[in-house]
Amino acid sequence: MKKILMTGIAAIAAFVAVGARGMTLAEAAAKVADAAESPSAMASVMKELSAEAQVKFLASVNGAIEKMPVSEADKAEKFLAANKAAMQNAAKGNLSTLLAETYATVPLSALTVINERFAADLFNRSADGKRVSDEMMKSNALVAVEAVKDRTAKGDVSNSAERNAFAALTFIRASEGSPADLRDALLAGLPAEAKSEWIPAALGEGEPASYDAILGGEGAASNAQAPSSILPQAPASLTGALAADLSGTVDDNGRTTSSFTDAVLDPNQYALPASGADFGLDGRVPRTQNPDNPWYNGAKRGENKGEGGGYPWQLTEE
């Protein structure tokens, strides 16, 4: 696909298809889902919209992508494809406004991808072997970044400083290091850390490139292993009691009328031990209400518990 030359914000728009611009925003609303999934669908709709409707439609598409139940990496790819298609089909004179909407409505994590690809594919000064002059490069870059700053200054945008820094980074990359004063000009008015930390780290100056500084550590955190919690397994007696309580009632003394629950939780009747299931063990001692069984524990100390009388149906010598 032919690259768009960085020959001026207004001039860039002249290279893209204008189309009939006959679709209303209401009609376009039904195509948001398709545009979020397909850059060709995005391009088709953008060609039919007015300049004002293009901006609103782009914001809607970005909102739809953000809500998709996919990974952050997949979202980043969709943000890039949809927003790139929007830039390539901007109405005449509308490119800087659309660019500002991209940097205001796309999540910061996806701007890490967008700033690199936009710098290389859309705004690079040497696209197609033709190099834009320093004067033109600086003029167009400043116009674009100022448009982003104006948009992110509105109340519906968070992390405006970081978004503005990503916009500046786009044109710092696209300028290929010239003119020498462009970087300072683009970062004017941004927090001091944008110049001292965010941009140097993103460009890999002195160390491997990283967006951790501008993202506030979000990039590193996303790769960290999530802590896990191990909950002890509930004893069988407790789960049985909970199930019984679902159908039980409570009397005036606050006791459940479920005889099953009362029995299970009554240690005097069943002498239930603590569960050893958490450790792969089963330390339960068999209990019974049958006095003929040897493990019957209902007798008092010193009394015959059944062992001396033998087991039911046990053969004995005459």
Side-chain angles (χ1 to χ4, degrees), residues 251-299:
D251 60 20
D252 295 337
N253 296 320
R255 287 176 54 84
T256 176
T257 59
S258 170
S259 58
F260 174 80
T261 304
D262 291 340
V264 169
L265 295 182
D266 186 355
N268 295 322
Q269 181 174 355
Y270 283 100
L272 294 170
S275 174
D278 299 337
F279 307 96
L281 303 174
D282 191 344
R284 293 182 177 87
V285 177
R287 303 297 179 187
T288 181
Q289 290 182 305
N290 186 348
D292 292 328
N293 288 336
W295 52 87
Y296 174 67
N297 67 326

Side-chain angles (χ1 to χ4, degrees), residues 103-104 108 111 148-149 151-154 157-167 190-191 198:
Y103 281 85
L108 290 181
L111 289 180
V148 173
K149 289 180 178 179
R151 175 64 181 89
T152 59
K154 295 182 179 180
V157 181
S158 60
N159 304 110
S160 58
E162 290 83 356
R163 295 177 180 277
N164 296 339
F166 270 118
L190 294 182
W198 297 352

Side-chain angles (χ1 to χ4, degrees), residues 29 31-37 42 54-70 72 75 78-80 82-83 101-107 110 114 151 156 163:
K31 301 180 181 295
V32 168
D34 291 339
E37 290 284 359
M42 181 70 173
Q54 280 187 337
V55 178
K56 295 180 180 179
F57 183 71
L58 177 59
S60 296
V61 170
N62 285 338
I65 295 174
E66 176 61 22
K67 295 177 182 179
M68 288 183 177
V70 298
E72 294 302 315
K75 285 184 182 180
K78 293 181 182 298
F79 278 124
L80 174 60
N83 285 266
E101 195 66 22
T102 292
Y103 281 85
T105 57
V106 170
I114 285 178
R151 175 64 181 89
D156 62 329
R163 295 177 180 277

Side-chain angles (χ1 to χ4, degrees), residues 161 165 168 172 180-203 205 213-214:
I172 291 172
D181 63 341
L182 176 60
R183 181 161 163 173
D184 287 341
L186 292 175
L187 297 179
L190 294 182
E193 56 262 38
K195 182 177 180 179
S196 63
E197 299 177 26
W198 297 352
I199 301 304
L203 294 174
E205 296 176 350
I214 192 171

